[in-house]
PDB file of all heavy atoms in Angstrom:
ATOM      1  N   ALA I 225     -18.192  -3.756   0.047  1.00  0.00           N
ATOM      2  CA  ALA I 225     -18.565  -2.449  -0.516  1.00  0.00           C
ATOM      3  C   ALA I 225     -18.712  -2.558  -2.031  1.00  0.00           C
ATOM      4  O   ALA I 225     -18.108  -3.419  -2.679  1.00  0.00           O
ATOM      5  CB  ALA I 225     -17.515  -1.403  -0.162  1.00  0.00           C
ATOM      6  N   ARG I 226     -19.524  -1.680  -2.606  1.00  0.00           N
ATOM      7  CA  ARG I 226     -19.759  -1.649  -4.047  1.00  0.00           C
ATOM      8  C   ARG I 226     -18.872  -0.596  -4.689  1.00  0.00           C
ATOM      9  O   ARG I 226     -18.746   0.525  -4.171  1.00  0.00           O
ATOM     10  CB  ARG I 226     -21.221  -1.337  -4.366  1.00  0.00           C
ATOM     11  CG  ARG I 226     -22.220  -2.281  -3.729  1.00  0.00           C
ATOM     12  CD  ARG I 226     -23.634  -2.026  -4.225  1.00  0.00           C
ATOM     13  NE  ARG I 226     -24.027  -0.624  -4.155  1.00  0.00           N
ATOM     14  CZ  ARG I 226     -24.493  -0.039  -3.074  1.00  0.00           C
ATOM     15  NH1 ARG I 226     -24.594  -0.716  -1.938  1.00  0.00           N
ATOM     16  NH2 ARG I 226     -24.855   1.229  -3.090  1.00  0.00           N
ATOM     17  N   ALA I 227     -18.270  -0.937  -5.816  1.00  0.00           N
ATOM     18  CA  ALA I 227     -17.441   0.018  -6.553  1.00  0.00           C
ATOM     19  C   ALA I 227     -18.316   0.801  -7.520  1.00  0.00           C
ATOM     20  O   ALA I 227     -19.110   0.226  -8.269  1.00  0.00           O
ATOM     21  CB  ALA I 227     -16.350  -0.716  -7.320  1.00  0.00           C
ATOM     22  N   GLN I 228     -18.200   2.111  -7.491  1.00  0.00           N
ATOM     23  CA  GLN I 228     -18.921   2.983  -8.404  1.00  0.00           C
ATOM     24  C   GLN I 228     -17.942   3.946  -9.071  1.00  0.00           C
ATOM     25  O   GLN I 228     -16.957   4.358  -8.451  1.00  0.00           O
ATOM     26  CB  GLN I 228     -19.984   3.801  -7.650  1.00  0.00           C
ATOM     27  CG  GLN I 228     -21.107   2.996  -7.048  1.00  0.00           C
ATOM     28  CD  GLN I 228     -22.137   3.877  -6.350  1.00  0.00           C
ATOM     29  OE1 GLN I 228     -21.907   5.064  -6.121  1.00  0.00           O
ATOM     30  NE2 GLN I 228     -23.270   3.290  -6.003  1.00  0.00           N
ATOM     31  N   PRO I 229     -18.205   4.297 -10.335  1.00  0.00           N
ATOM     32  CA  PRO I 229     -17.329   5.291 -10.970  1.00  0.00           C
ATOM     33  C   PRO I 229     -17.355   6.595 -10.187  1.00  0.00           C
ATOM     34  O   PRO I 229     -18.374   6.960  -9.583  1.00  0.00           O
ATOM     35  CB  PRO I 229     -17.944   5.468 -12.362  1.00  0.00           C
ATOM     36  CG  PRO I 229     -18.813   4.270 -12.573  1.00  0.00           C
ATOM     37  CD  PRO I 229     -19.297   3.868 -11.217  1.00  0.00           C
ATOM     38  N   ALA I 230     -16.244   7.295 -10.173  1.00  0.00           N
ATOM     39  CA  ALA I 230     -16.163   8.579  -9.473  1.00  0.00           C
ATOM     40  C   ALA I 230     -15.371   9.552 -10.330  1.00  0.00           C
ATOM     41  O   ALA I 230     -14.376   9.179 -10.960  1.00  0.00           O
ATOM     42  CB  ALA I 230     -15.492   8.420  -8.108  1.00  0.00           C
ATOM     43  N   GLU I 231     -15.819  10.791 -10.329  1.00  0.00           N
ATOM     44  CA  GLU I 231     -15.070  11.831 -11.019  1.00  0.00           C
ATOM     45  C   GLU I 231     -13.770  12.094 -10.269  1.00  0.00           C
ATOM     46  O   GLU I 231     -13.768  12.256  -9.047  1.00  0.00           O
ATOM     47  CB  GLU I 231     -15.890  13.122 -11.089  1.00  0.00           C
ATOM     48  CG  GLU I 231     -15.151  14.267 -11.761  1.00  0.00           C
ATOM     49  CD  GLU I 231     -15.891  15.590 -11.661  1.00  0.00           C
ATOM     50  OE1 GLU I 231     -16.979  15.621 -11.036  1.00  0.00           O
ATOM     51  OE2 GLU I 231     -15.363  16.592 -12.191  1.00  0.00           O
ATOM     52  N   LEU I 232     -12.672  12.129 -10.998  1.00  0.00           N
ATOM     53  CA  LEU I 232     -11.386  12.448 -10.390  1.00  0.00           C
ATOM     54  C   LEU I 232     -11.253  13.966 -10.368  1.00  0.00           C
ATOM     55  O   LEU I 232     -10.711  14.584 -11.286  1.00  0.00           O
ATOM     56  CB  LEU I 232     -10.245  11.800 -11.174  1.00  0.00           C
ATOM     57  CG  LEU I 232      -8.829  11.956 -10.603  1.00  0.00           C
ATOM     58  CD1 LEU I 232      -8.761  11.467  -9.164  1.00  0.00           C
ATOM     59  CD2 LEU I 232      -7.825  11.216 -11.469  1.00  0.00           C
ATOM     60  N   THR I 233     -11.791  14.568  -9.319  1.00  0.00           N
ATOM     61  CA  THR I 233     -11.802  16.023  -9.221  1.00  0.00           C
ATOM     62  C   THR I 233     -10.396  16.547  -8.937  1.00  0.00           C
ATOM     63  O   THR I 233      -9.529  15.808  -8.434  1.00  0.00           O
ATOM     64  CB  THR I 233     -12.736  16.478  -8.092  1.00  0.00           C
ATOM     65  OG1 THR I 233     -12.203  16.009  -6.840  1.00  0.00           O
ATOM     66  CG2 THR I 233     -14.144  15.916  -8.285  1.00  0.00           C
ATOM     67  N   PRO I 234     -10.126  17.811  -9.207  1.00  0.00           N
ATOM     68  CA  PRO I 234      -8.814  18.376  -8.881  1.00  0.00           C
ATOM     69  C   PRO I 234      -8.452  18.225  -7.410  1.00  0.00           C
ATOM     70  O   PRO I 234      -7.286  17.970  -7.078  1.00  0.00           O
ATOM     71  CB  PRO I 234      -8.957  19.841  -9.293  1.00  0.00           C
ATOM     72  CG  PRO I 234      -9.985  19.836 -10.385  1.00  0.00           C
ATOM     73  CD  PRO I 234     -10.955  18.766  -9.979  1.00  0.00           C
ATOM     74  N   GLU I 235      -9.431  18.354  -6.502  1.00  0.00           N
ATOM     75  CA  GLU I 235      -9.138  18.228  -5.076  1.00  0.00           C
ATOM     76  C   GLU I 235      -8.715  16.808  -4.726  1.00  0.00           C
ATOM     77  O   GLU I 235      -7.724  16.602  -4.006  1.00  0.00           O
ATOM     78  CB  GLU I 235     -10.362  18.624  -4.243  1.00  0.00           C
ATOM     79  CG  GLU I 235     -10.104  18.586  -2.732  1.00  0.00           C
ATOM     80  CD  GLU I 235     -11.304  18.995  -1.910  1.00  0.00           C
ATOM     81  OE1 GLU I 235     -12.425  19.066  -2.468  1.00  0.00           O
ATOM     82  OE2 GLU I 235     -11.131  19.240  -0.702  1.00  0.00           O
ATOM     83  N   LEU I 236      -9.448  15.802  -5.232  1.00  0.00           N
ATOM     84  CA  LEU I 236      -9.073  14.417  -4.967  1.00  0.00           C
ATOM     85  C   LEU I 236      -7.699  14.101  -5.543  1.00  0.00           C
ATOM     86  O   LEU I 236      -6.865  13.463  -4.892  1.00  0.00           O
ATOM     87  CB  LEU I 236     -10.115  13.464  -5.569  1.00  0.00           C
ATOM     88  CG  LEU I 236     -11.453  13.323  -4.843  1.00  0.00           C
ATOM     89  CD1 LEU I 236     -12.387  12.425  -5.656  1.00  0.00           C
ATOM     90  CD2 LEU I 236     -11.260  12.752  -3.449  1.00  0.00           C
ATOM     91  N   ALA I 237      -7.483  14.537  -6.797  1.00  0.00           N
ATOM     92  CA  ALA I 237      -6.204  14.258  -7.455  1.00  0.00           C
ATOM     93  C   ALA I 237      -5.049  14.878  -6.692  1.00  0.00           C
ATOM     94  O   ALA I 237      -4.020  14.232  -6.447  1.00  0.00           O
ATOM     95  CB  ALA I 237      -6.239  14.756  -8.892  1.00  0.00           C
ATOM     96  N   GLU I 238      -5.189  16.124  -6.284  1.00  0.00           N
ATOM     97  CA  GLU I 238      -4.092  16.806  -5.592  1.00  0.00           C
ATOM     98  C   GLU I 238      -3.778  16.132  -4.265  1.00  0.00           C
ATOM     99  O   GLU I 238      -2.608  15.910  -3.932  1.00  0.00           O
ATOM    100  CB  GLU I 238      -4.440  18.277  -5.359  1.00  0.00           C
ATOM    101  CG  GLU I 238      -3.325  19.034  -4.645  1.00  0.00           C
ATOM    102  CD  GLU I 238      -3.746  20.401  -4.125  1.00  0.00           C
ATOM    103  OE1 GLU I 238      -4.955  20.698  -4.127  1.00  0.00           O
ATOM    104  OE2 GLU I 238      -2.857  21.144  -3.691  1.00  0.00           O
ATOM    105  N   LEU I 239      -4.815  15.802  -3.473  1.00  0.00           N
ATOM    106  CA  LEU I 239      -4.572  15.176  -2.179  1.00  0.00           C
ATOM    107  C   LEU I 239      -3.907  13.808  -2.342  1.00  0.00           C
ATOM    108  O   LEU I 239      -2.972  13.468  -1.612  1.00  0.00           O
ATOM    109  CB  LEU I 239      -5.901  15.026  -1.424  1.00  0.00           C
ATOM    110  CG  LEU I 239      -6.406  16.243  -0.663  1.00  0.00           C
ATOM    111  CD1 LEU I 239      -7.808  15.979  -0.130  1.00  0.00           C
ATOM    112  CD2 LEU I 239      -5.461  16.593   0.484  1.00  0.00           C
ATOM    113  N   ALA I 240      -4.393  13.023  -3.303  1.00  0.00           N
ATOM    114  CA  ALA I 240      -3.820  11.700  -3.515  1.00  0.00           C
ATOM    115  C   ALA I 240      -2.379  11.794  -3.972  1.00  0.00           C
ATOM    116  O   ALA I 240      -1.507  11.034  -3.515  1.00  0.00           O
ATOM    117  CB  ALA I 240      -4.660  10.925  -4.529  1.00  0.00           C
ATOM    118  N   GLU I 241      -2.090  12.718  -4.866  1.00  0.00           N
ATOM    119  CA  GLU I 241      -0.718  12.891  -5.345  1.00  0.00           C
ATOM    120  C   GLU I 241       0.214  13.354  -4.233  1.00  0.00           C
ATOM    121  O   GLU I 241       1.352  12.883  -4.110  1.00  0.00           O
ATOM    122  CB  GLU I 241      -0.703  13.867  -6.515  1.00  0.00           C
ATOM    123  CG  GLU I 241      -1.335  13.309  -7.784  1.00  0.00           C
ATOM    124  CD  GLU I 241      -1.627  14.357  -8.836  1.00  0.00           C
ATOM    125  OE1 GLU I 241      -1.316  15.549  -8.604  1.00  0.00           O
ATOM    126  OE2 GLU I 241      -2.177  13.996  -9.903  1.00  0.00           O
ATOM    127  N   ARG I 242      -0.261  14.261  -3.396  1.00  0.00           N
ATOM    128  CA  ARG I 242       0.559  14.715  -2.274  1.00  0.00           C
ATOM    129  C   ARG I 242       0.823  13.581  -1.291  1.00  0.00           C
ATOM    130  O   ARG I 242       1.930  13.455  -0.750  1.00  0.00           O
ATOM    131  CB  ARG I 242      -0.128  15.875  -1.561  1.00  0.00           C
ATOM    132  CG  ARG I 242      -0.120  17.189  -2.331  1.00  0.00           C
ATOM    133  CD  ARG I 242      -0.953  18.245  -1.598  1.00  0.00           C
ATOM    134  NE  ARG I 242      -0.435  18.489  -0.250  1.00  0.00           N
ATOM    135  CZ  ARG I 242      -1.145  19.070   0.716  1.00  0.00           C
ATOM    136  NH1 ARG I 242      -2.413  19.431   0.502  1.00  0.00           N
ATOM    137  NH2 ARG I 242      -0.598  19.279   1.910  1.00  0.00           N
ATOM    138  N   ALA I 243      -0.195  12.741  -1.062  1.00  0.00           N
ATOM    139  CA  ALA I 243      -0.023  11.623  -0.137  1.00  0.00           C
ATOM    140  C   ALA I 243       0.992  10.623  -0.677  1.00  0.00           C
ATOM    141  O   ALA I 243       1.862  10.142   0.063  1.00  0.00           O
ATOM    142  CB  ALA I 243      -1.370  10.942   0.103  1.00  0.00           C
ATOM    143  N   ALA I 244       0.896  10.293  -1.962  1.00  0.00           N
ATOM    144  CA  ALA I 244       1.852   9.356  -2.558  1.00  0.00           C
ATOM    145  C   ALA I 244       3.264   9.923  -2.512  1.00  0.00           C
ATOM    146  O   ALA I 244       4.229   9.204  -2.228  1.00  0.00           O
ATOM    147  CB  ALA I 244       1.440   9.037  -3.995  1.00  0.00           C
ATOM    148  N   HIS I 245       3.388  11.217  -2.757  1.00  0.00           N
ATOM    149  CA  HIS I 245       4.701  11.857  -2.711  1.00  0.00           C
ATOM    150  C   HIS I 245       5.277  11.838  -1.296  1.00  0.00           C
ATOM    151  O   HIS I 245       6.483  11.609  -1.105  1.00  0.00           O
ATOM    152  CB  HIS I 245       4.593  13.292  -3.222  1.00  0.00           C
ATOM    153  CG  HIS I 245       5.891  14.060  -3.139  1.00  0.00           C
ATOM    154  ND1 HIS I 245       6.949  13.844  -4.000  1.00  0.00           N
ATOM    155  CD2 HIS I 245       6.306  15.030  -2.269  1.00  0.00           C
ATOM    156  CE1 HIS I 245       7.949  14.647  -3.690  1.00  0.00           C
ATOM    157  NE2 HIS I 245       7.594  15.374  -2.639  1.00  0.00           N
ATOM    158  N   ALA I 246       4.434  12.059  -0.296  1.00  0.00           N
ATOM    159  CA  ALA I 246       4.908  12.087   1.088  1.00  0.00           C
ATOM    160  C   ALA I 246       5.509  10.758   1.515  1.00  0.00           C
ATOM    161  O   ALA I 246       6.402  10.711   2.367  1.00  0.00           O
ATOM    162  CB  ALA I 246       3.753  12.467   2.025  1.00  0.00           C
ATOM    163  N   LEU I 247       5.043   9.659   0.900  1.00  0.00           N
ATOM    164  CA  LEU I 247       5.547   8.336   1.249  1.00  0.00           C
ATOM    165  C   LEU I 247       6.542   7.795   0.229  1.00  0.00           C
ATOM    166  O   LEU I 247       7.033   6.678   0.375  1.00  0.00           O
ATOM    167  CB  LEU I 247       4.385   7.352   1.413  1.00  0.00           C
ATOM    168  CG  LEU I 247       3.755   7.306   2.816  1.00  0.00           C
ATOM    169  CD1 LEU I 247       2.987   8.593   3.118  1.00  0.00           C
ATOM    170  CD2 LEU I 247       2.836   6.110   2.968  1.00  0.00           C
ATOM    171  N   GLY I 248       6.840   8.587  -0.803  1.00  0.00           N
ATOM    172  CA  GLY I 248       7.826   8.173  -1.794  1.00  0.00           C
ATOM    173  C   GLY I 248       7.381   7.020  -2.659  1.00  0.00           C
ATOM    174  O   GLY I 248       8.188   6.152  -3.008  1.00  0.00           O
ATOM    175  N   MET I 249       6.098   7.016  -3.053  1.00  0.00           N
ATOM    176  CA  MET I 249       5.521   5.900  -3.800  1.00  0.00           C
ATOM    177  C   MET I 249       5.693   6.056  -5.313  1.00  0.00           C
ATOM    178  O   MET I 249       5.536   7.149  -5.855  1.00  0.00           O
ATOM    179  CB  MET I 249       4.015   5.806  -3.522  1.00  0.00           C
ATOM    180  CG  MET I 249       3.664   5.556  -2.083  1.00  0.00           C
ATOM    181  SD  MET I 249       4.098   3.875  -1.627  1.00  0.00           S
ATOM    182  CE  MET I 249       3.230   3.732  -0.091  1.00  0.00           C
ATOM    183  N   ASP I 250       5.968   4.922  -5.999  1.00  0.00           N
ATOM    184  CA  ASP I 250       5.865   4.883  -7.454  1.00  0.00           C
ATOM    185  C   ASP I 250       4.401   4.770  -7.869  1.00  0.00           C
ATOM    186  O   ASP I 250       3.960   5.421  -8.807  1.00  0.00           O
ATOM    187  CB  ASP I 250       6.640   3.692  -8.022  1.00  0.00           C
ATOM    188  CG  ASP I 250       8.141   3.864  -7.894  1.00  0.00           C
ATOM    189  OD1 ASP I 250       8.628   4.952  -8.263  1.00  0.00           O
ATOM    190  OD2 ASP I 250       8.813   2.930  -7.438  1.00  0.00           O
ATOM    191  N   TYR I 251       3.681   3.887  -7.190  1.00  0.00           N
ATOM    192  CA  TYR I 251       2.228   3.800  -7.398  1.00  0.00           C
ATOM    193  C   TYR I 251       1.578   3.570  -6.048  1.00  0.00           C
ATOM    194  O   TYR I 251       2.194   3.012  -5.140  1.00  0.00           O
ATOM    195  CB  TYR I 251       1.865   2.705  -8.409  1.00  0.00           C
ATOM    196  CG  TYR I 251       1.813   1.294  -7.863  1.00  0.00           C
ATOM    197  CD1 TYR I 251       0.593   0.644  -7.699  1.00  0.00           C
ATOM    198  CD2 TYR I 251       2.978   0.606  -7.521  1.00  0.00           C
ATOM    199  CE1 TYR I 251       0.541  -0.662  -7.224  1.00  0.00           C
ATOM    200  CE2 TYR I 251       2.929  -0.691  -7.045  1.00  0.00           C
ATOM    201  CZ  TYR I 251       1.708  -1.327  -6.897  1.00  0.00           C
ATOM    202  OH  TYR I 251       1.653  -2.615  -6.419  1.00  0.00           O
ATOM    203  N   ALA I 252       0.355   4.027  -5.903  1.00  0.00           N
ATOM    204  CA  ALA I 252      -0.301   3.950  -4.599  1.00  0.00           C
ATOM    205  C   ALA I 252      -1.810   3.993  -4.763  1.00  0.00           C
ATOM    206  O   ALA I 252      -2.340   4.692  -5.635  1.00  0.00           O
ATOM    207  CB  ALA I 252       0.148   5.106  -3.698  1.00  0.00           C
ATOM    208  N   GLY I 253      -2.485   3.235  -3.908  1.00  0.00           N
ATOM    209  CA  GLY I 253      -3.930   3.365  -3.767  1.00  0.00           C
ATOM    210  C   GLY I 253      -4.204   4.210  -2.541  1.00  0.00           C
ATOM    211  O   GLY I 253      -3.879   3.818  -1.416  1.00  0.00           O
ATOM    212  N   VAL I 254      -4.770   5.379  -2.761  1.00  0.00           N
ATOM    213  CA  VAL I 254      -4.973   6.336  -1.671  1.00  0.00           C
ATOM    214  C   VAL I 254      -6.452   6.349  -1.299  1.00  0.00           C
ATOM    215  O   VAL I 254      -7.317   6.550  -2.162  1.00  0.00           O
ATOM    216  CB  VAL I 254      -4.506   7.747  -2.081  1.00  0.00           C
ATOM    217  CG1 VAL I 254      -4.656   8.715  -0.913  1.00  0.00           C
ATOM    218  CG2 VAL I 254      -3.060   7.718  -2.568  1.00  0.00           C
ATOM    219  N   ASP I 255      -6.741   6.119  -0.012  1.00  0.00           N
ATOM    220  CA  ASP I 255      -8.113   6.099   0.483  1.00  0.00           C
ATOM    221  C   ASP I 255      -8.423   7.436   1.131  1.00  0.00           C
ATOM    222  O   ASP I 255      -7.704   7.876   2.038  1.00  0.00           O
ATOM    223  CB  ASP I 255      -8.305   4.973   1.493  1.00  0.00           C
ATOM    224  CG  ASP I 255      -8.077   3.600   0.880  1.00  0.00           C
ATOM    225  OD1 ASP I 255      -8.172   3.487  -0.362  1.00  0.00           O
ATOM    226  OD2 ASP I 255      -7.816   2.640   1.633  1.00  0.00           O
ATOM    227  N   LEU I 256      -9.506   8.066   0.662  1.00  0.00           N
ATOM    228  CA  LEU I 256      -9.902   9.382   1.153  1.00  0.00           C
ATOM    229  C   LEU I 256     -11.368   9.332   1.565  1.00  0.00           C
ATOM    230  O   LEU I 256     -12.164   8.573   0.991  1.00  0.00           O
ATOM    231  CB  LEU I 256      -9.711  10.458   0.080  1.00  0.00           C
ATOM    232  CG  LEU I 256      -8.342  10.548  -0.587  1.00  0.00           C
ATOM    233  CD1 LEU I 256      -8.355   9.813  -1.921  1.00  0.00           C
ATOM    234  CD2 LEU I 256      -7.929  11.995  -0.809  1.00  0.00           C
TER     235      LEU I 256
END
Side-chain angles (χ1 to χ4, degrees):
R226 304 187 310 277
Q228 295 181 348
E231 178 188 1
L232 184 55
T233 65
E235 183 179 14
L236 285 175
E238 180 193 11
L239 277 173
E241 290 166 1
R242 288 174 59 198
H245 177 74
L247 273 70
M249 299 289 194
D250 290 312
Y251 82 108
V254 183
D255 298 339
L256 308 98

